[in-house]
Amino acid sequence: MEPIIRVEQLRKQYKSGKRPAVDGISFEVGRGEFFAFLGPNGAGKTTTISILTTTLSKTEGTVMIAGYDVEKEAAKVRRNVGIIFQNPSLDLDLTAEENIRLHVSIYGVYAYRPFYSMMPKEYKQRIEELAAIVGIHDNLFKKVKGFSGGMKRKLEIMRSLMHKPQILFLDEPTQGLDASARQSLWAYLQKIRKEENITIFLTTHYLEEAEEADRVCMITHGKVAVLGTPEEIKHKLLGDKSMLIDAGDRKALRAELEALQVSFTEEEQCFRVRFQDKTPQSLVARLHTPLSRMEVHQQTLEEAYLSLVQQSQNDESRKGAV
Amino acid sequence: MLMTKAQKESNAVVAIAAREITKGIKNPVLMIVSIVFPIIFIGIFGGSLSQNMAGNLGYNYLQFMMIGMIVNSVFTGLITGMSSLIEERNQNLTQELYVSPISRYSIILGKMIGSSFTSIVGLLGILIVALLMQIPLGGMHIVWLFLITPLFCLIGGSLGIFFIGFVQDSKTADIGSMLLVMPQMFLSGAMIPIQHSTGILGFLAHIMPMTYCIDLARAVFYSGTPVYSQVVLYHPVTDLLVMAGFFLVFTVVGTWMFTRSERNR
């Protein structure tokens, strides 16, 4: 099946930059996939997303979105994507409905009418339906200026869905939102993703938001560092999973672990035992020594990310030293 | 109903223009400025000049100035309106427009039409001040003049586009638009007659687009009156040709530069 996003050897050299902001990256995203694009500040995430959404020219490479070339067929690309920018791009002096009416008019979905009452029935139905889902129904005709950060984000998502895009680009969509607003926003995003089979391309600094992604791409210094499922990435960057165990009879536990030939290290108050299965269930089942402590250490993308950033900094200092 | 490409573009132009108009209507500052500005310039500045220096001109100086201020007001409104694209870009308000599937020309045209509407509505302030100061409005002549104000909007808007094609940040845009407006206000004959301007001031007056707009405005307003030759510099056709030249160059170069600066960073 043709991927919905195809990036090949993409390179961007800013006029003022000493080295490329994006340096020959390649990846593909499938239809309906939830793809997280991560990296530290200055890694090239926003540059990449700007090129993918046609707001910035590339220096080299090929970028195809929904089958269209971003340079030669920019208008067709734009018609097929919805974008939630890093900073809200709403007109604060207009009402929520006026912002949406402007959007559907510039996307050619409905003919512009100066008043809501004059807009077609289908428009009113769609707007009422989406407003009810995102929970801004009561504020639809109020100025955006008075909206909270969460409401603005919800309005932006609602707006971006009005023209039924195939791909939704989310550039740090939950920046500045509190935990509850983030949670409800993600619940909504997952819902519409399933219902409308939308591809989600996410950049975020909240790594836990990327845990649910189908695949994750991490970039550093404009290059792809790792690409794979969250599990693959964690394994690649953090190695085997581990658990902490201890027993009243430590000597017996140590002997048992040695006999089972599992990889472990003895720490101050416990043993750190590494395992490769999804859970330590089978390993624990083979232990007979009564355990006094057992903690399974859940690896997170955040740890993998920090490890990558550390590696990248070490590489940079080595280069600097040479 | 499916729209053709041309219908989509025109729909977008209308929507963007309507956005400007809606914002203008909702903004009380605009209405206040449209009254205060003529009071300061026509009422205070013009009134003082008229009483102390305009005795031997041979025509009604306040009426002469009112025509200049009408064109100047439209020009200023359009230049600042177009310059706001820079501020909106920096505040991320226009990102939504730039990722939409419409031509950059449609964005600029919509913005220009919207700013024109608010500028023309703002002219009501000048008329109110003129009525209060008992400045003769010239009967049908003022109506003719109002009918051609969209032409001045086009030239002012194109100059604004040309300007934003070379400016990247809102601070420069703010200062730059003032530098663009102020010299034209003083040198193009809006307030001070330029029939006898020579040297560098004469040269500057003749390269300013607003000079030709004001001259055309006065040609229309004073047509058939005895003072025509005293207040009009060129034949109206000459004014129109020069204005068309400015419009074409400014619009094409400005839009190209602006859209280029958006993507080619």
Side-chain angles (χ1 to χ4, degrees), chain A residues 32-36 193 210-216 228-232:
Chain A
E33 192 175 354
F34 176 9
F35 188 83
R193 186 188 153 222
E211 292 279 1
E212 296 294 312
D214 296 315
R215 281 190 309 141
V216 173
T229 65
E231 286 306 310
E232 284 168 352

Side-chain angles (χ1 to χ4, degrees), chain A residues 123-187:
Chain A
Y123 167 79
K124 290 178 191 168
Q125 271 171 355
R126 176 94 173 142
I127 205 171
E128 296 269 334
E129 181 189 299
L130 287 172
I133 295 172
V134 297
I136 58 164
H137 191 268
D138 295 340
N139 298 293
L140 208 46
F141 299 98
K142 288 182 185 162
K143 263 193 186 184
V144 177
K145 204 173 258 175
F147 281 22
S148 67
M151 278 163 70
K152 283 181 192 160
R153 277 304 191 204
K154 284 177 178 177
L155 175 60
E156 286 198 304
I157 290 171
M158 180 180 160
R159 182 179 67 175
S160 69
L161 294 171
M162 288 296 289
H163 66 283
K164 299 190 173 165
Q166 295 188 55
I167 309 162
L168 200 53
F169 285 95
L170 306 169
D171 190 7
E172 301 190 24
T174 53
Q175 194 182 48
L177 298 191
D178 61 38
S180 112
R182 277 165 57 196
Q183 198 178 32
S184 68
L185 195 66
W186 273 107

